[in-house]
Amino acid sequence: MGTAVRMGPGYIPFGLSFILVGLGILSCLRAFVVDGPSLEAWNLRPPIAIALSIAFFAFAIERLGLLLAIFGLVVIGSLASTETRRWESVALGASLALMSVAVFVIALRLPMQLWPSGWF
Amino acid sequence: MFDVFGHFVDGLLIAATPMNLLYCLIGALIGTLIGVLPGLGPVATVAMLLPITFYLPPVSALIMLAGIYYGAQYGGSTTAILVNIPGENSSVVTCLDGHQMARNGRAGPALAIAALSSLIAGFFATFYIALFAPPLAELALLFGPAEYFSLMVLGLIAAIVLAQGSIISALGMIVLGLFLSAIGTDVNTGTQRMTLGIPELSDGIGFVPLAMGLFAIGDIIRNLEHPAHRVVVAGKIQNVWPTRDDFRRCVGPVTRGTVLGSMLGILPGGGAMLSSFAAYALEKKLSKEPDRFGRGAVEGVAAPESANNAGAQTSFIPLLTLGIPANPVIALMAGAMMIHGIQPGPDVMTKNPDLFWGLIASMLFGNIMLVVINLPLIQFWVMLLKVPYRLFYPALLVFCCIGVYTLNNSVFEVALLIGFGLLGYAFLKLGCEPAPLVLAFVLGPLMEENLRRALLLSRGDALVFIREPISLALLLLAIALLLLILLPSFRHARGATFQQD
């Protein structure tokens, strides 16, 4: 922790957290006094689908390779929108996977694994 | 004076190398593209492109990113005029009169006036930066740790003025940003702070996943929640050239818009959006026929369009001279500079003159390119508006994921991206703007360092911030600003400004 002259590593985070708690309390108290706009309804479909799709990418990139990781990312991510058609997202996933290989691996020469490990 | 001229010519030579011209063009093209597309703004785009800048020389990277920012101001007006949806926050007011002009069959002249006003403002702003930045940087070199700390406090307070919603929430976002920036290894002692024993966190939270998550992913989720159907109103655009009467009417508004935008751009918290709102309000007040506004007045297009471009460019001044980013886009550029190991601030001009002058001079080329990109190719951009969002956002997801992953080949950072994406969405949902958080995250380490140094020099006497005259003035200014926001009348005006959003 330390003193103001010789601040330890925890000095500033400690102070900041107190300020944050104070602001939180203020914000809560204010909610009793002021009538704010009512909260919007939560539509959980987009956040869950997007989070899952990125999680799949994180899981797949070093195990299944770039092509499958992108394909899965796009197909799962497409579920976030209610307007998506099935064949459309598959085609989009395939073409985006090929395009990413062309741009990132061939053109920019980033070292990335293309296929599931152990295939080639 | 001649010194500035000489440096500026050097800068022109740097910006005119084929590679830098190419990146300037790429930046201008991307800027126009995202400006045209509603739902994708410069903040999200610059956040997504941060990983790519890692592979470029710093000058080219910044030239490209800057092109995106002011390019978006050009593109945003196209959507505003043709579709009545602001492609960009800063072109919200352009909708009012620009779209009316399009409805009256004058879409062509409206687009031309928007592009030409932006061009004039862009030229003026470029020279304004060249003349104004060096003396400011010299002044900043006199600053000690106490002054710097107070300056950053002022910058952060100013960011609240522009944030929408509750002031307490905005303050909370700033503190949270500072807190997040403290994660990692402590510079002075080498101790791990709040890393929870996760080795990937010992370098702190990555700027790229943070910015990309909060702005890009959060925005995508938000847009998916409210599917908007866009209808392009104008079909073919004929006779682009404005009439002589249009030109005559625009001289005053463009001049005033440019000057106003250049001044507001420098303010911490200022930038394109504030400038365009202010310029429109000013013209409406000065006009002899205020009734014409909102019914297709050409002045109502010229003034905000010149102001937003001038504001976008001059908001580089505080970054390049003081190291204080004025708005989130500029904060991301500060991040890009830091990725390259360049500390934004008064030293940039002396230590990296190529970067400083090359960037400024590139704005001249960029503005010319933008007029060429925008006017003759207008049909192409209109066509792009018809691409539905469901086909478009997966590509953004791919770009974000690959970008974050390849930066450090780290799966952990992709996981951070998910976390900050959900956080960004929740913030938007709850009416807390992420912009102050990102500004605070960028400034956090500098603030802590200067605070510690100032207190070390004064032997722990906190009054040092009040004893130094410059520091005192800056702090008083910050307090005055805070009081101003709390004043009921100003609060009302601030609310009204954002009401049009």
PDB file of all heavy atoms in Angstrom, chain B residues 273-302:
ATOM      1  N   MET B 273     -18.566  15.641 -34.037  1.00  0.00           N
ATOM      2  CA  MET B 273     -19.985  15.662 -33.748  1.00  0.00           C
ATOM      3  C   MET B 273     -20.427  16.992 -33.133  1.00  0.00           C
ATOM      4  O   MET B 273     -21.355  17.643 -33.597  1.00  0.00           O
ATOM      5  CB  MET B 273     -20.296  14.522 -32.802  1.00  0.00           C
ATOM      6  CG  MET B 273     -21.751  14.316 -32.583  1.00  0.00           C
ATOM      7  SD  MET B 273     -21.947  12.809 -31.655  1.00  0.00           S
ATOM      8  CE  MET B 273     -23.380  13.222 -30.718  1.00  0.00           C
ATOM      9  N   LEU B 274     -19.699  17.407 -32.089  1.00  0.00           N
ATOM     10  CA  LEU B 274     -20.004  18.665 -31.422  1.00  0.00           C
ATOM     11  C   LEU B 274     -19.974  19.812 -32.425  1.00  0.00           C
ATOM     12  O   LEU B 274     -20.857  20.675 -32.444  1.00  0.00           O
ATOM     13  CB  LEU B 274     -18.971  18.897 -30.307  1.00  0.00           C
ATOM     14  CG  LEU B 274     -19.096  20.167 -29.497  1.00  0.00           C
ATOM     15  CD1 LEU B 274     -20.348  20.113 -28.651  1.00  0.00           C
ATOM     16  CD2 LEU B 274     -17.874  20.350 -28.612  1.00  0.00           C
ATOM     17  N   SER B 275     -18.954  19.819 -33.297  1.00  0.00           N
ATOM     18  CA  SER B 275     -18.780  20.900 -34.257  1.00  0.00           C
ATOM     19  C   SER B 275     -19.975  21.018 -35.187  1.00  0.00           C
ATOM     20  O   SER B 275     -20.442  22.125 -35.456  1.00  0.00           O
ATOM     21  CB  SER B 275     -17.523  20.660 -35.099  1.00  0.00           C
ATOM     22  OG  SER B 275     -16.428  20.444 -34.285  1.00  0.00           O
ATOM     23  N   SER B 276     -20.475  19.880 -35.684  1.00  0.00           N
ATOM     24  CA  SER B 276     -21.552  19.974 -36.659  1.00  0.00           C
ATOM     25  C   SER B 276     -22.838  20.493 -36.013  1.00  0.00           C
ATOM     26  O   SER B 276     -23.540  21.315 -36.587  1.00  0.00           O
ATOM     27  CB  SER B 276     -21.790  18.615 -37.321  1.00  0.00           C
ATOM     28  OG  SER B 276     -22.190  17.667 -36.379  1.00  0.00           O
ATOM     29  N   PHE B 277     -23.108  20.023 -34.802  1.00  0.00           N
ATOM     30  CA  PHE B 277     -24.300  20.519 -34.099  1.00  0.00           C
ATOM     31  C   PHE B 277     -24.204  22.022 -33.864  1.00  0.00           C
ATOM     32  O   PHE B 277     -25.146  22.773 -34.116  1.00  0.00           O
ATOM     33  CB  PHE B 277     -24.459  19.818 -32.751  1.00  0.00           C
ATOM     34  CG  PHE B 277     -25.137  18.494 -32.855  1.00  0.00           C
ATOM     35  CD1 PHE B 277     -24.406  17.323 -32.795  1.00  0.00           C
ATOM     36  CD2 PHE B 277     -26.509  18.417 -33.006  1.00  0.00           C
ATOM     37  CE1 PHE B 277     -25.035  16.099 -32.900  1.00  0.00           C
ATOM     38  CE2 PHE B 277     -27.149  17.191 -33.107  1.00  0.00           C
ATOM     39  CZ  PHE B 277     -26.408  16.027 -33.053  1.00  0.00           C
ATOM     40  N   ALA B 278     -23.043  22.462 -33.395  1.00  0.00           N
ATOM     41  CA  ALA B 278     -22.863  23.875 -33.074  1.00  0.00           C
ATOM     42  C   ALA B 278     -22.966  24.727 -34.330  1.00  0.00           C
ATOM     43  O   ALA B 278     -23.596  25.792 -34.317  1.00  0.00           O
ATOM     44  CB  ALA B 278     -21.516  24.096 -32.388  1.00  0.00           C
ATOM     45  N   ALA B 279     -22.385  24.275 -35.432  1.00  0.00           N
ATOM     46  CA  ALA B 279     -22.386  25.076 -36.657  1.00  0.00           C
ATOM     47  C   ALA B 279     -23.806  25.232 -37.200  1.00  0.00           C
ATOM     48  O   ALA B 279     -24.197  26.309 -37.649  1.00  0.00           O
ATOM     49  CB  ALA B 279     -21.493  24.431 -37.716  1.00  0.00           C
ATOM     50  N   TYR B 280     -24.581  24.150 -37.145  1.00  0.00           N
ATOM     51  CA  TYR B 280     -25.954  24.223 -37.641  1.00  0.00           C
ATOM     52  C   TYR B 280     -26.760  25.215 -36.812  1.00  0.00           C
ATOM     53  O   TYR B 280     -27.474  26.068 -37.346  1.00  0.00           O
ATOM     54  CB  TYR B 280     -26.603  22.842 -37.585  1.00  0.00           C
ATOM     55  CG  TYR B 280     -27.948  22.781 -38.250  1.00  0.00           C
ATOM     56  CD1 TYR B 280     -28.043  22.636 -39.618  1.00  0.00           C
ATOM     57  CD2 TYR B 280     -29.123  22.857 -37.516  1.00  0.00           C
ATOM     58  CE1 TYR B 280     -29.275  22.577 -40.251  1.00  0.00           C
ATOM     59  CE2 TYR B 280     -30.355  22.801 -38.130  1.00  0.00           C
ATOM     60  CZ  TYR B 280     -30.429  22.661 -39.499  1.00  0.00           C
ATOM     61  OH  TYR B 280     -31.643  22.597 -40.114  1.00  0.00           O
ATOM     62  N   ALA B 281     -26.604  25.112 -35.478  1.00  0.00           N
ATOM     63  CA  ALA B 281     -27.338  26.020 -34.596  1.00  0.00           C
ATOM     64  C   ALA B 281     -26.954  27.467 -34.865  1.00  0.00           C
ATOM     65  O   ALA B 281     -27.805  28.353 -34.904  1.00  0.00           O
ATOM     66  CB  ALA B 281     -27.060  25.652 -33.140  1.00  0.00           C
ATOM     67  N   LEU B 282     -25.665  27.701 -35.080  1.00  0.00           N
ATOM     68  CA  LEU B 282     -25.186  29.062 -35.319  1.00  0.00           C
ATOM     69  C   LEU B 282     -25.782  29.630 -36.600  1.00  0.00           C
ATOM     70  O   LEU B 282     -26.275  30.765 -36.621  1.00  0.00           O
ATOM     71  CB  LEU B 282     -23.647  29.063 -35.406  1.00  0.00           C
ATOM     72  CG  LEU B 282     -23.013  30.421 -35.688  1.00  0.00           C
ATOM     73  CD1 LEU B 282     -23.076  31.304 -34.459  1.00  0.00           C
ATOM     74  CD2 LEU B 282     -21.568  30.267 -36.142  1.00  0.00           C
ATOM     75  N   GLU B 283     -25.771  28.845 -37.671  1.00  0.00           N
ATOM     76  CA  GLU B 283     -26.301  29.336 -38.951  1.00  0.00           C
ATOM     77  C   GLU B 283     -27.776  29.655 -38.846  1.00  0.00           C
ATOM     78  O   GLU B 283     -28.262  30.633 -39.380  1.00  0.00           O
ATOM     79  CB  GLU B 283     -26.079  28.311 -40.059  1.00  0.00           C
ATOM     80  CG  GLU B 283     -24.654  28.253 -40.577  1.00  0.00           C
ATOM     81  CD  GLU B 283     -24.081  29.618 -40.868  1.00  0.00           C
ATOM     82  OE1 GLU B 283     -24.752  30.429 -41.518  1.00  0.00           O
ATOM     83  OE2 GLU B 283     -22.951  29.880 -40.422  1.00  0.00           O
ATOM     84  N   LYS B 284     -28.492  28.804 -38.147  1.00  0.00           N
ATOM     85  CA  LYS B 284     -29.929  29.009 -38.005  1.00  0.00           C
ATOM     86  C   LYS B 284     -30.201  30.321 -37.273  1.00  0.00           C
ATOM     87  O   LYS B 284     -31.131  31.047 -37.582  1.00  0.00           O
ATOM     88  CB  LYS B 284     -30.535  27.839 -37.244  1.00  0.00           C
ATOM     89  CG  LYS B 284     -32.008  27.648 -37.518  1.00  0.00           C
ATOM     90  CD  LYS B 284     -32.490  26.330 -36.970  1.00  0.00           C
ATOM     91  CE  LYS B 284     -33.991  26.268 -36.971  1.00  0.00           C
ATOM     92  NZ  LYS B 284     -34.482  25.007 -36.415  1.00  0.00           N
ATOM     93  N   LYS B 285     -29.345  30.617 -36.312  1.00  0.00           N
ATOM     94  CA  LYS B 285     -29.512  31.827 -35.524  1.00  0.00           C
ATOM     95  C   LYS B 285     -29.177  33.064 -36.355  1.00  0.00           C
ATOM     96  O   LYS B 285     -29.837  34.093 -36.253  1.00  0.00           O
ATOM     97  CB  LYS B 285     -28.613  31.762 -34.291  1.00  0.00           C
ATOM     98  CG  LYS B 285     -29.278  32.360 -33.069  1.00  0.00           C
ATOM     99  CD  LYS B 285     -28.619  31.883 -31.800  1.00  0.00           C
ATOM    100  CE  LYS B 285     -29.665  31.489 -30.776  1.00  0.00           C
ATOM    101  NZ  LYS B 285     -29.092  30.824 -29.624  1.00  0.00           N
ATOM    102  N   LEU B 286     -28.113  32.962 -37.175  1.00  0.00           N
ATOM    103  CA  LEU B 286     -27.647  34.123 -37.924  1.00  0.00           C
ATOM    104  C   LEU B 286     -28.498  34.397 -39.157  1.00  0.00           C
ATOM    105  O   LEU B 286     -28.530  35.513 -39.654  1.00  0.00           O
ATOM    106  CB  LEU B 286     -26.196  33.908 -38.367  1.00  0.00           C
ATOM    107  CG  LEU B 286     -25.121  34.018 -37.281  1.00  0.00           C
ATOM    108  CD1 LEU B 286     -23.760  33.752 -37.889  1.00  0.00           C
ATOM    109  CD2 LEU B 286     -25.159  35.382 -36.628  1.00  0.00           C
ATOM    110  N   SER B 287     -29.153  33.362 -39.667  1.00  0.00           N
ATOM    111  CA  SER B 287     -29.833  33.485 -40.945  1.00  0.00           C
ATOM    112  C   SER B 287     -30.962  34.518 -40.893  1.00  0.00           C
ATOM    113  O   SER B 287     -31.642  34.674 -39.883  1.00  0.00           O
ATOM    114  CB  SER B 287     -30.383  32.132 -41.353  1.00  0.00           C
ATOM    115  OG  SER B 287     -31.226  32.285 -42.477  1.00  0.00           O
ATOM    116  N   LYS B 288     -31.132  35.211 -42.028  1.00  0.00           N
ATOM    117  CA  LYS B 288     -32.218  36.189 -42.110  1.00  0.00           C
ATOM    118  C   LYS B 288     -33.548  35.472 -42.329  1.00  0.00           C
ATOM    119  O   LYS B 288     -34.606  35.995 -42.051  1.00  0.00           O
ATOM    120  CB  LYS B 288     -31.960  37.168 -43.251  1.00  0.00           C
ATOM    121  CG  LYS B 288     -30.807  38.116 -42.949  1.00  0.00           C
ATOM    122  CD  LYS B 288     -30.688  39.202 -44.008  1.00  0.00           C
ATOM    123  CE  LYS B 288     -29.401  39.979 -43.850  1.00  0.00           C
ATOM    124  NZ  LYS B 288     -28.331  39.451 -44.711  1.00  0.00           N
ATOM    125  N   GLU B 289     -33.451  34.267 -42.905  1.00  0.00           N
ATOM    126  CA  GLU B 289     -34.692  33.506 -43.125  1.00  0.00           C
ATOM    127  C   GLU B 289     -34.579  32.162 -42.413  1.00  0.00           C
ATOM    128  O   GLU B 289     -34.381  31.146 -43.079  1.00  0.00           O
ATOM    129  CB  GLU B 289     -34.921  33.279 -44.621  1.00  0.00           C
ATOM    130  CG  GLU B 289     -34.553  34.448 -45.493  1.00  0.00           C
ATOM    131  CD  GLU B 289     -34.101  34.006 -46.878  1.00  0.00           C
ATOM    132  OE1 GLU B 289     -34.971  33.652 -47.666  1.00  0.00           O
ATOM    133  OE2 GLU B 289     -32.906  33.994 -47.146  1.00  0.00           O
ATOM    134  N   PRO B 290     -34.696  32.138 -41.097  1.00  0.00           N
ATOM    135  CA  PRO B 290     -34.500  30.866 -40.387  1.00  0.00           C
ATOM    136  C   PRO B 290     -35.558  29.829 -40.744  1.00  0.00           C
ATOM    137  O   PRO B 290     -35.341  28.639 -40.514  1.00  0.00           O
ATOM    138  CB  PRO B 290     -34.587  31.262 -38.897  1.00  0.00           C
ATOM    139  CG  PRO B 290     -35.144  32.627 -38.864  1.00  0.00           C
ATOM    140  CD  PRO B 290     -34.951  33.256 -40.187  1.00  0.00           C
ATOM    141  N   ASP B 291     -36.663  30.273 -41.334  1.00  0.00           N
ATOM    142  CA  ASP B 291     -37.715  29.312 -41.693  1.00  0.00           C
ATOM    143  C   ASP B 291     -37.255  28.320 -42.740  1.00  0.00           C
ATOM    144  O   ASP B 291     -37.782  27.220 -42.844  1.00  0.00           O
ATOM    145  CB  ASP B 291     -38.938  30.054 -42.256  1.00  0.00           C
ATOM    146  CG  ASP B 291     -39.539  30.971 -41.223  1.00  0.00           C
ATOM    147  OD1 ASP B 291     -39.157  30.809 -40.049  1.00  0.00           O
ATOM    148  OD2 ASP B 291     -40.349  31.826 -41.594  1.00  0.00           O
ATOM    149  N   ARG B 292     -36.282  28.756 -43.559  1.00  0.00           N
ATOM    150  CA  ARG B 292     -35.848  27.878 -44.647  1.00  0.00           C
ATOM    151  C   ARG B 292     -35.142  26.635 -44.092  1.00  0.00           C
ATOM    152  O   ARG B 292     -35.088  25.610 -44.750  1.00  0.00           O
ATOM    153  CB  ARG B 292     -34.913  28.626 -45.587  1.00  0.00           C
ATOM    154  CG  ARG B 292     -35.657  29.610 -46.488  1.00  0.00           C
ATOM    155  CD  ARG B 292     -34.717  30.340 -47.419  1.00  0.00           C
ATOM    156  NE  ARG B 292     -33.964  29.443 -48.274  1.00  0.00           N
ATOM    157  CZ  ARG B 292     -32.652  29.291 -48.235  1.00  0.00           C
ATOM    158  NH1 ARG B 292     -31.947  29.969 -47.378  1.00  0.00           N
ATOM    159  NH2 ARG B 292     -32.045  28.463 -49.054  1.00  0.00           N
ATOM    160  N   PHE B 293     -34.581  26.755 -42.882  1.00  0.00           N
ATOM    161  CA  PHE B 293     -33.862  25.612 -42.324  1.00  0.00           C
ATOM    162  C   PHE B 293     -34.824  24.474 -42.025  1.00  0.00           C
ATOM    163  O   PHE B 293     -35.908  24.692 -41.482  1.00  0.00           O
ATOM    164  CB  PHE B 293     -33.104  26.023 -41.059  1.00  0.00           C
ATOM    165  CG  PHE B 293     -31.829  26.743 -41.368  1.00  0.00           C
ATOM    166  CD1 PHE B 293     -31.837  28.087 -41.680  1.00  0.00           C
ATOM    167  CD2 PHE B 293     -30.623  26.063 -41.386  1.00  0.00           C
ATOM    168  CE1 PHE B 293     -30.672  28.743 -41.986  1.00  0.00           C
ATOM    169  CE2 PHE B 293     -29.462  26.710 -41.697  1.00  0.00           C
ATOM    170  CZ  PHE B 293     -29.479  28.055 -41.997  1.00  0.00           C
ATOM    171  N   GLY B 294     -34.407  23.267 -42.381  1.00  0.00           N
ATOM    172  CA  GLY B 294     -35.277  22.118 -42.192  1.00  0.00           C
ATOM    173  C   GLY B 294     -36.146  21.863 -43.403  1.00  0.00           C
ATOM    174  O   GLY B 294     -36.892  20.904 -43.464  1.00  0.00           O
ATOM    175  N   ARG B 295     -36.079  22.796 -44.394  1.00  0.00           N
ATOM    176  CA  ARG B 295     -36.880  22.602 -45.605  1.00  0.00           C
ATOM    177  C   ARG B 295     -35.991  22.540 -46.835  1.00  0.00           C
ATOM    178  O   ARG B 295     -36.423  22.861 -47.939  1.00  0.00           O
ATOM    179  CB  ARG B 295     -37.869  23.743 -45.769  1.00  0.00           C
ATOM    180  CG  ARG B 295     -38.876  23.755 -44.652  1.00  0.00           C
ATOM    181  CD  ARG B 295     -39.976  24.731 -44.935  1.00  0.00           C
ATOM    182  NE  ARG B 295     -40.769  24.917 -43.740  1.00  0.00           N
ATOM    183  CZ  ARG B 295     -41.448  26.023 -43.499  1.00  0.00           C
ATOM    184  NH1 ARG B 295     -41.411  27.015 -44.341  1.00  0.00           N
ATOM    185  NH2 ARG B 295     -42.159  26.122 -42.395  1.00  0.00           N
ATOM    186  N   GLY B 296     -34.737  22.188 -46.631  1.00  0.00           N
ATOM    187  CA  GLY B 296     -33.859  22.060 -47.786  1.00  0.00           C
ATOM    188  C   GLY B 296     -32.993  23.284 -48.021  1.00  0.00           C
ATOM    189  O   GLY B 296     -32.715  23.632 -49.163  1.00  0.00           O
ATOM    190  N   ALA B 297     -32.567  23.949 -46.937  1.00  0.00           N
ATOM    191  CA  ALA B 297     -31.670  25.086 -47.080  1.00  0.00           C
ATOM    192  C   ALA B 297     -30.254  24.576 -47.336  1.00  0.00           C
ATOM    193  O   ALA B 297     -29.766  23.716 -46.607  1.00  0.00           O
ATOM    194  CB  ALA B 297     -31.693  25.945 -45.827  1.00  0.00           C
ATOM    195  N   VAL B 298     -29.623  25.109 -48.354  1.00  0.00           N
ATOM    196  CA  VAL B 298     -28.296  24.634 -48.702  1.00  0.00           C
ATOM    197  C   VAL B 298     -27.280  25.013 -47.617  1.00  0.00           C
ATOM    198  O   VAL B 298     -26.304  24.309 -47.370  1.00  0.00           O
ATOM    199  CB  VAL B 298     -27.899  25.151 -50.110  1.00  0.00           C
ATOM    200  CG1 VAL B 298     -27.557  26.624 -50.065  1.00  0.00           C
ATOM    201  CG2 VAL B 298     -26.760  24.330 -50.676  1.00  0.00           C
ATOM    202  N   GLU B 299     -27.564  26.118 -46.908  1.00  0.00           N
ATOM    203  CA  GLU B 299     -26.679  26.512 -45.809  1.00  0.00           C
ATOM    204  C   GLU B 299     -26.644  25.449 -44.719  1.00  0.00           C
ATOM    205  O   GLU B 299     -25.642  25.251 -44.054  1.00  0.00           O
ATOM    206  CB  GLU B 299     -27.151  27.833 -45.172  1.00  0.00           C
ATOM    207  CG  GLU B 299     -27.215  29.026 -46.108  1.00  0.00           C
ATOM    208  CD  GLU B 299     -28.608  29.222 -46.656  1.00  0.00           C
ATOM    209  OE1 GLU B 299     -29.187  28.236 -47.160  1.00  0.00           O
ATOM    210  OE2 GLU B 299     -29.116  30.353 -46.591  1.00  0.00           O
ATOM    211  N   GLY B 300     -27.804  24.782 -44.534  1.00  0.00           N
ATOM    212  CA  GLY B 300     -27.907  23.769 -43.484  1.00  0.00           C
ATOM    213  C   GLY B 300     -27.115  22.515 -43.804  1.00  0.00           C
ATOM    214  O   GLY B 300     -26.947  21.650 -42.961  1.00  0.00           O
ATOM    215  N   VAL B 301     -26.645  22.404 -45.039  1.00  0.00           N
ATOM    216  CA  VAL B 301     -25.759  21.296 -45.390  1.00  0.00           C
ATOM    217  C   VAL B 301     -24.314  21.761 -45.302  1.00  0.00           C
ATOM    218  O   VAL B 301     -23.445  21.081 -44.750  1.00  0.00           O
ATOM    219  CB  VAL B 301     -26.061  20.774 -46.823  1.00  0.00           C
ATOM    220  CG1 VAL B 301     -25.085  19.680 -47.207  1.00  0.00           C
ATOM    221  CG2 VAL B 301     -27.474  20.267 -46.904  1.00  0.00           C
ATOM    222  N   ALA B 302     -24.070  22.976 -45.845  1.00  0.00           N
ATOM    223  CA  ALA B 302     -22.699  23.473 -45.940  1.00  0.00           C
ATOM    224  C   ALA B 302     -22.072  23.666 -44.564  1.00  0.00           C
ATOM    225  O   ALA B 302     -20.929  23.243 -44.329  1.00  0.00           O
ATOM    226  CB  ALA B 302     -22.679  24.784 -46.714  1.00  0.00           C
TER     227      ALA B 302
END
